[in-house]
Amino acid sequence: SDYILPRLNFNIHFRVRIPSRREWRRGFAGKTGTTSIHTDGFKIHCGVGAEVYSNDLDISNSICLPNSASNLQAEVRTVKFY
């Protein structure tokens, strides 16, 4: 079977910034030279899904997950999109 060894790179630096509610209401715009990526994993009564959106990268993807998936699995799946 196929097998890939995991590779960790701790030299890639990034910052996560969570805007305030006030910034979101005003139409939050990131700083110049940054890339904004919005992710959401969710589990609701009608299903489980994951979404990734970035206007900066022209990305808008969503997928359905099995109903047996947990909310945490849906959140993790959004990170694995890209």
Side-chain angles (χ1 to χ4, degrees):
S1 69
D2 292 339
Y3 185 77
I4 297 174
L5 291 174
R7 185 177 68 177
L8 303 176
N9 182 351
F10 296 105
N11 295 319
I12 298 173
H13 300 284
F14 63 92
R15 287 183 43 174
V16 174
R17 182 175 183 283
I18 301 174
S20 68
R21 288 180 185 259
R22 184 177 179 187
E23 289 173 308
W24 280 111
R25 283 189 205 113
R26 290 189 323 212
F28 170 77
K31 292 182 178 179
T32 303
T34 64
T35 301
S36 293
I37 302 172
H38 307 276
T39 63
D40 186 29
F42 56 89
K43 182 169 187 163
I44 55 177
H45 69 281
C46 60
V48 183
E51 300 175 331
V52 175
Y53 172 79
S54 174
N55 193 48
D56 299 333
L57 300 175
D58 195 30
I59 296 169
S60 180
N61 289 322
S62 62
I63 60 168
C64 293
L65 298 171
N67 286 339
S68 59
S70 70
N71 189 66
L72 176 61
Q73 289 170 317
E75 293 286 351
V76 170
R77 183 62 180 99
T78 64
V79 174
K80 295 180 96 176
F81 256 121
Y82 289 95

